[in-house]
Amino acid sequence: MSLLITNARGVTPTGDGGPRRGRAMELLYVIDEADVLVREGRIVAVEPAGRGLALSREAAPAQHVIDAQGRVLHPGFIDCHPHA
């Protein structure tokens, strides 16, 4: 199965792939308008909207397309809960 999520505000960690604690949790990269391509349950591409994934769409159309309408999309391993 393939899934294309368009028009998302993507949030992803930067730097190495290790666990983050304290100030290191602030090291995030935000893509204001992102396209995310998922194949067989794995994220295979995250790119600014309209760059590159359009070619992937033509080569192998996604079975499902979701328009995120500007909502935030982030990996499940980012602890995004706030503290007052």
Side-chain angles (χ1 to χ4, degrees), residues 9-80:
R9 188 159 192 244
V11 180
T12 188
T14 61
D16 69 17
R20 305 283 168 81
R21 290 180 176 81
R23 302 289 287 174
M25 291 179 67
E26 296 175 6
L27 301 175
L28 298 174
Y29 176 65
V30 177
I31 304 172
D32 286 322
E33 293 181 36
D35 289 344
V36 179
L37 183 61
V38 180
R39 285 207 178 112
E40 303 302 322
R42 291 183 175 257
I43 297 172
V44 295
V46 178
E47 299 177 359
R51 292 191 192 172
L53 288 181
L55 296 176
S56 296
R57 246 183 285 171
E58 291 175 24
Q63 293 168 319
H64 302 281
V65 178
I66 296 173
D67 181 353
Q69 300 177 351
R71 293 182 179 95
V72 173
L73 176 67
H74 65 85
F77 53 82
I78 294 178
D79 184 2
C80 64

